[in-house]
PDB file of all heavy atoms in Angstrom:
ATOM      1  N   PHE A   1      33.874 104.570  51.508  1.00  0.00           N
ATOM      2  CA  PHE A   1      32.636 103.934  51.881  1.00  0.00           C
ATOM      3  C   PHE A   1      32.616 103.278  53.251  1.00  0.00           C
ATOM      4  O   PHE A   1      31.628 103.227  53.946  1.00  0.00           O
ATOM      5  CB  PHE A   1      32.229 102.868  50.810  1.00  0.00           C
ATOM      6  CG  PHE A   1      31.822 103.496  49.528  1.00  0.00           C
ATOM      7  CD1 PHE A   1      32.713 103.563  48.432  1.00  0.00           C
ATOM      8  CD2 PHE A   1      30.525 104.071  49.369  1.00  0.00           C
ATOM      9  CE1 PHE A   1      32.319 104.183  47.253  1.00  0.00           C
ATOM     10  CE2 PHE A   1      30.138 104.637  48.164  1.00  0.00           C
ATOM     11  CZ  PHE A   1      31.067 104.673  47.106  1.00  0.00           C
ATOM     12  N   CYS A   2      33.808 102.754  53.659  1.00  0.00           N
ATOM     13  CA  CYS A   2      33.948 102.109  54.964  1.00  0.00           C
ATOM     14  C   CYS A   2      34.134 103.069  56.117  1.00  0.00           C
ATOM     15  O   CYS A   2      33.787 102.769  57.261  1.00  0.00           O
ATOM     16  CB  CYS A   2      35.125 101.166  54.964  1.00  0.00           C
ATOM     17  SG  CYS A   2      34.901  99.695  53.902  1.00  0.00           S
ATOM     18  N   GLY A   3      34.677 104.262  55.823  1.00  0.00           N
ATOM     19  CA  GLY A   3      35.001 105.176  56.897  1.00  0.00           C
ATOM     20  C   GLY A   3      36.200 104.674  57.729  1.00  0.00           C
ATOM     21  O   GLY A   3      36.454 105.101  58.866  1.00  0.00           O
ATOM     22  N   ASP A   4      37.018 103.821  57.124  1.00  0.00           N
ATOM     23  CA  ASP A   4      38.230 103.368  57.718  1.00  0.00           C
ATOM     24  C   ASP A   4      39.083 102.812  56.594  1.00  0.00           C
ATOM     25  O   ASP A   4      38.601 102.510  55.498  1.00  0.00           O
ATOM     26  CB  ASP A   4      37.935 102.232  58.770  1.00  0.00           C
ATOM     27  CG  ASP A   4      39.108 102.060  59.709  1.00  0.00           C
ATOM     28  OD1 ASP A   4      40.168 102.695  59.555  1.00  0.00           O
ATOM     29  OD2 ASP A   4      38.996 101.162  60.568  1.00  0.00           O
ATOM     30  N   TYR A   5      40.380 102.672  56.807  1.00  0.00           N
ATOM     31  CA  TYR A   5      41.271 102.217  55.770  1.00  0.00           C
ATOM     32  C   TYR A   5      40.924 100.814  55.266  1.00  0.00           C
ATOM     33  O   TYR A   5      40.834  99.902  56.042  1.00  0.00           O
ATOM     34  CB  TYR A   5      42.736 102.240  56.229  1.00  0.00           C
ATOM     35  CG  TYR A   5      43.298 103.618  56.520  1.00  0.00           C
ATOM     36  CD1 TYR A   5      44.140 103.797  57.604  1.00  0.00           C
ATOM     37  CD2 TYR A   5      42.944 104.700  55.729  1.00  0.00           C
ATOM     38  CE1 TYR A   5      44.661 105.089  57.890  1.00  0.00           C
ATOM     39  CE2 TYR A   5      43.385 105.961  56.010  1.00  0.00           C
ATOM     40  CZ  TYR A   5      44.289 106.142  57.078  1.00  0.00           C
ATOM     41  OH  TYR A   5      44.796 107.389  57.344  1.00  0.00           O
ATOM     42  N   ALA A   6      40.620 100.767  53.965  1.00  0.00           N
ATOM     43  CA  ALA A   6      40.327  99.445  53.364  1.00  0.00           C
ATOM     44  C   ALA A   6      41.613  98.826  52.794  1.00  0.00           C
ATOM     45  O   ALA A   6      42.448  99.546  52.297  1.00  0.00           O
ATOM     46  CB  ALA A   6      39.291  99.639  52.258  1.00  0.00           C
ATOM     47  N   PRO A   7      41.728  97.514  52.847  1.00  0.00           N
ATOM     48  CA  PRO A   7      42.944  96.876  52.354  1.00  0.00           C
ATOM     49  C   PRO A   7      43.019  96.833  50.861  1.00  0.00           C
ATOM     50  O   PRO A   7      41.974  97.002  50.152  1.00  0.00           O
ATOM     51  CB  PRO A   7      42.849  95.468  52.923  1.00  0.00           C
ATOM     52  CG  PRO A   7      41.378  95.230  53.078  1.00  0.00           C
ATOM     53  CD  PRO A   7      40.775  96.547  53.439  1.00  0.00           C
ATOM     54  N   ILE A   8      44.179  96.692  50.299  1.00  0.00           N
ATOM     55  CA  ILE A   8      44.427  96.515  48.891  1.00  0.00           C
ATOM     56  C   ILE A   8      44.112  95.059  48.542  1.00  0.00           C
ATOM     57  O   ILE A   8      44.499  94.104  49.280  1.00  0.00           O
ATOM     58  CB  ILE A   8      45.885  96.806  48.543  1.00  0.00           C
ATOM     59  CG1 ILE A   8      46.135  98.314  48.781  1.00  0.00           C
ATOM     60  CG2 ILE A   8      46.251  96.397  47.120  1.00  0.00           C
ATOM     61  CD1 ILE A   8      47.641  98.742  48.690  1.00  0.00           C
ATOM     62  N   ASP A   9      43.419  94.812  47.480  1.00  0.00           N
ATOM     63  CA  ASP A   9      43.140  93.409  47.045  1.00  0.00           C
ATOM     64  C   ASP A   9      44.239  92.801  46.246  1.00  0.00           C
ATOM     65  O   ASP A   9      45.024  93.567  45.646  1.00  0.00           O
ATOM     66  CB  ASP A   9      41.777  93.355  46.274  1.00  0.00           C
ATOM     67  CG  ASP A   9      41.942  93.729  44.870  1.00  0.00           C
ATOM     68  OD1 ASP A   9      42.295  94.882  44.555  1.00  0.00           O
ATOM     69  OD2 ASP A   9      41.760  92.853  43.983  1.00  0.00           O
ATOM     70  N   TYR A  10      44.322  91.501  46.174  1.00  0.00           N
ATOM     71  CA  TYR A  10      45.383  90.866  45.472  1.00  0.00           C
ATOM     72  C   TYR A  10      45.481  91.272  44.010  1.00  0.00           C
ATOM     73  O   TYR A  10      46.568  91.420  43.490  1.00  0.00           O
ATOM     74  CB  TYR A  10      45.149  89.308  45.502  1.00  0.00           C
ATOM     75  CG  TYR A  10      45.331  88.616  46.769  1.00  0.00           C
ATOM     76  CD1 TYR A  10      44.817  87.320  46.938  1.00  0.00           C
ATOM     77  CD2 TYR A  10      45.955  89.192  47.830  1.00  0.00           C
ATOM     78  CE1 TYR A  10      44.958  86.618  48.147  1.00  0.00           C
ATOM     79  CE2 TYR A  10      46.096  88.545  49.021  1.00  0.00           C
ATOM     80  CZ  TYR A  10      45.611  87.245  49.190  1.00  0.00           C
ATOM     81  OH  TYR A  10      45.756  86.532  50.367  1.00  0.00           O
ATOM     82  N   SER A  11      44.322  91.388  43.299  1.00  0.00           N
ATOM     83  CA  SER A  11      44.342  91.647  41.872  1.00  0.00           C
ATOM     84  C   SER A  11      44.929  92.999  41.556  1.00  0.00           C
ATOM     85  O   SER A  11      45.866  93.154  40.740  1.00  0.00           O
ATOM     86  CB  SER A  11      42.962  91.506  41.290  1.00  0.00           C
ATOM     87  OG  SER A  11      43.003  91.518  39.872  1.00  0.00           O
ATOM     88  N   ASP A  12      44.406  94.073  42.212  1.00  0.00           N
ATOM     89  CA  ASP A  12      44.959  95.424  41.970  1.00  0.00           C
ATOM     90  C   ASP A  12      46.377  95.513  42.595  1.00  0.00           C
ATOM     91  O   ASP A  12      47.220  96.246  42.035  1.00  0.00           O
ATOM     92  CB  ASP A  12      44.030  96.475  42.528  1.00  0.00           C
ATOM     93  CG  ASP A  12      44.152  97.794  41.790  1.00  0.00           C
ATOM     94  OD1 ASP A  12      44.783  97.897  40.752  1.00  0.00           O
ATOM     95  OD2 ASP A  12      43.590  98.821  42.304  1.00  0.00           O
ATOM     96  N   GLY A  13      46.583  94.840  43.687  1.00  0.00           N
ATOM     97  CA  GLY A  13      47.909  94.864  44.306  1.00  0.00           C
ATOM     98  C   GLY A  13      48.961  94.289  43.394  1.00  0.00           C
ATOM     99  O   GLY A  13      50.136  94.629  43.510  1.00  0.00           O
ATOM    100  N   SER A  14      48.605  93.394  42.502  1.00  0.00           N
ATOM    101  CA  SER A  14      49.556  92.808  41.585  1.00  0.00           C
ATOM    102  C   SER A  14      49.910  93.767  40.436  1.00  0.00           C
ATOM    103  O   SER A  14      50.708  93.351  39.514  1.00  0.00           O
ATOM    104  CB  SER A  14      49.124  91.456  41.046  1.00  0.00           C
ATOM    105  OG  SER A  14      47.780  91.510  40.544  1.00  0.00           O
ATOM    106  N   GLY A  15      49.456  94.981  40.474  1.00  0.00           N
ATOM    107  CA  GLY A  15      49.847  96.004  39.511  1.00  0.00           C
ATOM    108  C   GLY A  15      50.756  97.047  40.189  1.00  0.00           C
ATOM    109  O   GLY A  15      50.689  98.246  39.801  1.00  0.00           O
ATOM    110  N   MET A  16      51.564  96.602  41.131  1.00  0.00           N
ATOM    111  CA  MET A  16      52.410  97.540  41.872  1.00  0.00           C
ATOM    112  C   MET A  16      53.863  97.271  41.831  1.00  0.00           C
ATOM    113  O   MET A  16      54.661  98.054  42.319  1.00  0.00           O
ATOM    114  CB  MET A  16      51.963  97.506  43.354  1.00  0.00           C
ATOM    115  CG  MET A  16      50.514  97.916  43.615  1.00  0.00           C
ATOM    116  SD  MET A  16      50.049  97.716  45.372  1.00  0.00           S
ATOM    117  CE  MET A  16      50.873  99.079  46.099  1.00  0.00           C
ATOM    118  N   ASN A  17      54.308  96.085  41.232  1.00  0.00           N
ATOM    119  CA  ASN A  17      55.661  95.654  41.349  1.00  0.00           C
ATOM    120  C   ASN A  17      56.090  95.479  42.794  1.00  0.00           C
ATOM    121  O   ASN A  17      57.277  95.571  43.178  1.00  0.00           O
ATOM    122  CB  ASN A  17      56.703  96.597  40.700  1.00  0.00           C
ATOM    123  CG  ASN A  17      56.781  96.523  39.184  1.00  0.00           C
ATOM    124  OD1 ASN A  17      56.968  97.455  38.485  1.00  0.00           O
ATOM    125  ND2 ASN A  17      56.672  95.263  38.668  1.00  0.00           N
ATOM    126  N   LEU A  18      55.140  95.078  43.632  1.00  0.00           N
ATOM    127  CA  LEU A  18      55.375  94.892  45.048  1.00  0.00           C
ATOM    128  C   LEU A  18      54.871  93.514  45.545  1.00  0.00           C
ATOM    129  O   LEU A  18      55.415  92.968  46.470  1.00  0.00           O
ATOM    130  CB  LEU A  18      54.779  95.977  45.900  1.00  0.00           C
ATOM    131  CG  LEU A  18      55.358  97.347  45.823  1.00  0.00           C
ATOM    132  CD1 LEU A  18      54.545  98.374  46.656  1.00  0.00           C
ATOM    133  CD2 LEU A  18      56.812  97.393  46.246  1.00  0.00           C
ATOM    134  N   LEU A  19      53.806  93.012  44.923  1.00  0.00           N
ATOM    135  CA  LEU A  19      53.180  91.770  45.439  1.00  0.00           C
ATOM    136  C   LEU A  19      53.788  90.519  44.780  1.00  0.00           C
ATOM    137  O   LEU A  19      53.964  90.464  43.589  1.00  0.00           O
ATOM    138  CB  LEU A  19      51.664  91.791  45.103  1.00  0.00           C
ATOM    139  CG  LEU A  19      50.836  90.671  45.734  1.00  0.00           C
ATOM    140  CD1 LEU A  19      50.585  90.966  47.185  1.00  0.00           C
ATOM    141  CD2 LEU A  19      49.477  90.518  44.998  1.00  0.00           C
ATOM    142  N   ASP A  20      54.129  89.550  45.648  1.00  0.00           N
ATOM    143  CA  ASP A  20      54.542  88.238  45.170  1.00  0.00           C
ATOM    144  C   ASP A  20      53.225  87.562  44.711  1.00  0.00           C
ATOM    145  O   ASP A  20      52.419  87.143  45.560  1.00  0.00           O
ATOM    146  CB  ASP A  20      55.200  87.473  46.273  1.00  0.00           C
ATOM    147  CG  ASP A  20      55.734  86.115  45.849  1.00  0.00           C
ATOM    148  OD1 ASP A  20      55.077  85.470  44.997  1.00  0.00           O
ATOM    149  OD2 ASP A  20      56.764  85.679  46.391  1.00  0.00           O
ATOM    150  N   ILE A  21      53.026  87.432  43.422  1.00  0.00           N
ATOM    151  CA  ILE A  21      51.763  87.001  42.905  1.00  0.00           C
ATOM    152  C   ILE A  21      51.493  85.468  43.060  1.00  0.00           C
ATOM    153  O   ILE A  21      50.402  85.013  42.886  1.00  0.00           O
ATOM    154  CB  ILE A  21      51.472  87.450  41.486  1.00  0.00           C
ATOM    155  CG1 ILE A  21      52.479  86.796  40.524  1.00  0.00           C
ATOM    156  CG2 ILE A  21      51.524  88.943  41.353  1.00  0.00           C
ATOM    157  CD1 ILE A  21      52.118  87.043  39.058  1.00  0.00           C
ATOM    158  N   VAL A  22      52.559  84.743  43.403  1.00  0.00           N
ATOM    159  CA  VAL A  22      52.399  83.285  43.656  1.00  0.00           C
ATOM    160  C   VAL A  22      52.032  83.093  45.142  1.00  0.00           C
ATOM    161  O   VAL A  22      51.093  82.368  45.433  1.00  0.00           O
ATOM    162  CB  VAL A  22      53.677  82.515  43.284  1.00  0.00           C
ATOM    163  CG1 VAL A  22      53.560  81.077  43.732  1.00  0.00           C
ATOM    164  CG2 VAL A  22      53.976  82.655  41.781  1.00  0.00           C
ATOM    165  N   ASN A  23      52.717  83.772  46.029  1.00  0.00           N
ATOM    166  CA  ASN A  23      52.522  83.578  47.445  1.00  0.00           C
ATOM    167  C   ASN A  23      51.445  84.530  48.003  1.00  0.00           C
ATOM    168  O   ASN A  23      50.975  84.391  49.158  1.00  0.00           O
ATOM    169  CB  ASN A  23      53.830  83.810  48.215  1.00  0.00           C
ATOM    170  CG  ASN A  23      54.858  82.819  47.940  1.00  0.00           C
ATOM    171  OD1 ASN A  23      54.525  81.645  47.823  1.00  0.00           O
ATOM    172  ND2 ASN A  23      56.089  83.226  47.770  1.00  0.00           N
ATOM    173  N   LYS A  24      51.000  85.489  47.135  1.00  0.00           N
ATOM    174  CA  LYS A  24      49.927  86.431  47.557  1.00  0.00           C
ATOM    175  C   LYS A  24      50.262  87.240  48.792  1.00  0.00           C
ATOM    176  O   LYS A  24      49.457  87.366  49.765  1.00  0.00           O
ATOM    177  CB  LYS A  24      48.569  85.685  47.771  1.00  0.00           C
ATOM    178  CG  LYS A  24      48.192  84.698  46.655  1.00  0.00           C
ATOM    179  CD  LYS A  24      47.964  85.293  45.320  1.00  0.00           C
ATOM    180  CE  LYS A  24      47.290  84.358  44.348  1.00  0.00           C
ATOM    181  NZ  LYS A  24      48.041  83.181  44.035  1.00  0.00           N
ATOM    182  N   SER A  25      51.491  87.785  48.807  1.00  0.00           N
ATOM    183  CA  SER A  25      51.945  88.552  49.890  1.00  0.00           C
ATOM    184  C   SER A  25      52.973  89.543  49.383  1.00  0.00           C
ATOM    185  O   SER A  25      53.528  89.387  48.274  1.00  0.00           O
ATOM    186  CB  SER A  25      52.560  87.696  50.999  1.00  0.00           C
ATOM    187  OG  SER A  25      53.690  86.972  50.525  1.00  0.00           O
ATOM    188  N   TRP A  26      53.170  90.677  50.161  1.00  0.00           N
ATOM    189  CA  TRP A  26      54.155  91.623  49.704  1.00  0.00           C
ATOM    190  C   TRP A  26      55.551  91.035  49.654  1.00  0.00           C
ATOM    191  O   TRP A  26      55.918  90.240  50.579  1.00  0.00           O
ATOM    192  CB  TRP A  26      54.184  92.834  50.642  1.00  0.00           C
ATOM    193  CG  TRP A  26      52.913  93.605  50.822  1.00  0.00           C
ATOM    194  CD1 TRP A  26      52.242  93.855  51.927  1.00  0.00           C
ATOM    195  CD2 TRP A  26      52.106  94.208  49.751  1.00  0.00           C
ATOM    196  NE1 TRP A  26      51.087  94.573  51.706  1.00  0.00           N
ATOM    197  CE2 TRP A  26      50.959  94.780  50.383  1.00  0.00           C
ATOM    198  CE3 TRP A  26      52.232  94.242  48.367  1.00  0.00           C
ATOM    199  CZ2 TRP A  26      49.987  95.439  49.635  1.00  0.00           C
ATOM    200  CZ3 TRP A  26      51.245  94.896  47.640  1.00  0.00           C
ATOM    201  CH2 TRP A  26      50.140  95.495  48.268  1.00  0.00           C
ATOM    202  N   SER A  27      56.277  91.300  48.608  1.00  0.00           N
ATOM    203  CA  SER A  27      57.636  90.774  48.438  1.00  0.00           C
ATOM    204  C   SER A  27      58.591  91.580  49.347  1.00  0.00           C
ATOM    205  O   SER A  27      58.728  92.807  49.183  1.00  0.00           O
ATOM    206  CB  SER A  27      58.122  90.941  47.053  1.00  0.00           C
ATOM    207  OG  SER A  27      59.525  90.816  46.911  1.00  0.00           O
ATOM    208  N   PRO A  28      59.236  90.985  50.342  1.00  0.00           N
ATOM    209  CA  PRO A  28      60.190  91.739  51.221  1.00  0.00           C
ATOM    210  C   PRO A  28      61.237  92.458  50.442  1.00  0.00           C
ATOM    211  O   PRO A  28      61.603  93.577  50.798  1.00  0.00           O
ATOM    212  CB  PRO A  28      60.729  90.623  52.117  1.00  0.00           C
ATOM    213  CG  PRO A  28      59.743  89.545  52.126  1.00  0.00           C
ATOM    214  CD  PRO A  28      59.171  89.545  50.748  1.00  0.00           C
ATOM    215  N   GLU A  29      61.796  91.824  49.368  1.00  0.00           N
ATOM    216  CA  GLU A  29      62.775  92.519  48.582  1.00  0.00           C
ATOM    217  C   GLU A  29      62.324  93.758  47.930  1.00  0.00           C
ATOM    218  O   GLU A  29      62.999  94.789  47.924  1.00  0.00           O
ATOM    219  CB  GLU A  29      63.305  91.571  47.459  1.00  0.00           C
ATOM    220  CG  GLU A  29      63.888  90.222  47.902  1.00  0.00           C
ATOM    221  CD  GLU A  29      63.983  89.266  46.732  1.00  0.00           C
ATOM    222  OE1 GLU A  29      65.010  89.363  46.055  1.00  0.00           O
ATOM    223  OE2 GLU A  29      63.055  88.496  46.487  1.00  0.00           O
ATOM    224  N   CYS A  30      61.103  93.708  47.395  1.00  0.00           N
ATOM    225  CA  CYS A  30      60.546  94.912  46.713  1.00  0.00           C
ATOM    226  C   CYS A  30      60.197  95.996  47.708  1.00  0.00           C
ATOM    227  O   CYS A  30      60.437  97.186  47.439  1.00  0.00           O
ATOM    228  CB  CYS A  30      59.320  94.461  45.917  1.00  0.00           C
ATOM    229  SG  CYS A  30      59.691  93.316  44.569  1.00  0.00           S
ATOM    230  N   LEU A  31      59.652  95.625  48.886  1.00  0.00           N
ATOM    231  CA  LEU A  31      59.272  96.614  49.883  1.00  0.00           C
ATOM    232  C   LEU A  31      60.541  97.347  50.365  1.00  0.00           C
ATOM    233  O   LEU A  31      60.541  98.582  50.470  1.00  0.00           O
ATOM    234  CB  LEU A  31      58.620  95.945  51.087  1.00  0.00           C
ATOM    235  CG  LEU A  31      57.232  95.315  50.860  1.00  0.00           C
ATOM    236  CD1 LEU A  31      56.800  94.618  52.125  1.00  0.00           C
ATOM    237  CD2 LEU A  31      56.259  96.381  50.471  1.00  0.00           C
ATOM    238  N   LYS A  32      61.587  96.611  50.604  1.00  0.00           N
ATOM    239  CA  LYS A  32      62.844  97.206  51.099  1.00  0.00           C
ATOM    240  C   LYS A  32      63.392  98.196  50.132  1.00  0.00           C
ATOM    241  O   LYS A  32      63.905  99.281  50.451  1.00  0.00           O
ATOM    242  CB  LYS A  32      63.823  96.119  51.391  1.00  0.00           C
ATOM    243  CG  LYS A  32      65.162  96.625  51.946  1.00  0.00           C
ATOM    244  CD  LYS A  32      66.120  95.492  52.231  1.00  0.00           C
ATOM    245  CE  LYS A  32      67.451  95.985  52.765  1.00  0.00           C
ATOM    246  NZ  LYS A  32      68.413  94.887  53.018  1.00  0.00           N
ATOM    247  N   ALA A  33      63.244  97.893  48.806  1.00  0.00           N
ATOM    248  CA  ALA A  33      63.828  98.796  47.775  1.00  0.00           C
ATOM    249  C   ALA A  33      62.975 100.055  47.653  1.00  0.00           C
ATOM    250  O   ALA A  33      63.551 101.105  47.230  1.00  0.00           O
ATOM    251  CB  ALA A  33      63.868  98.059  46.473  1.00  0.00           C
ATOM    252  N   CYS A  34      61.672 100.037  47.902  1.00  0.00           N
ATOM    253  CA  CYS A  34      60.782 101.152  47.543  1.00  0.00           C
ATOM    254  C   CYS A  34      60.541 102.126  48.647  1.00  0.00           C
ATOM    255  O   CYS A  34      60.163 103.252  48.370  1.00  0.00           O
ATOM    256  CB  CYS A  34      59.477 100.556  47.045  1.00  0.00           C
ATOM    257  SG  CYS A  34      59.583  99.752  45.445  1.00  0.00           S
TER     258      CYS A  34
END
């Protein structure tokens, strides 16, 4: 709908095993592993 990359929202992003759901940011440990 935007015609450009839309960001991932916190709520759906917390279904990835990647988002630190307390700090609301990607977990560096999880990113490095994946």
Side-chain angles (χ1 to χ4, degrees):
F1 288 100
C2 292
D4 198 358
Y5 293 142
I8 293 170
D9 81 295
Y10 290 164
S11 191
D12 207 12
S14 50
M16 299 175 73
N17 278 145
L18 291 176
L19 187 78
D20 183 328
I21 64 172
V22 174
N23 295 320
K24 312 297 192 298
S25 59
W26 301 125
S27 162
E29 301 167 86
C30 296
L31 291 177
K32 182 179 179 181
C34 291

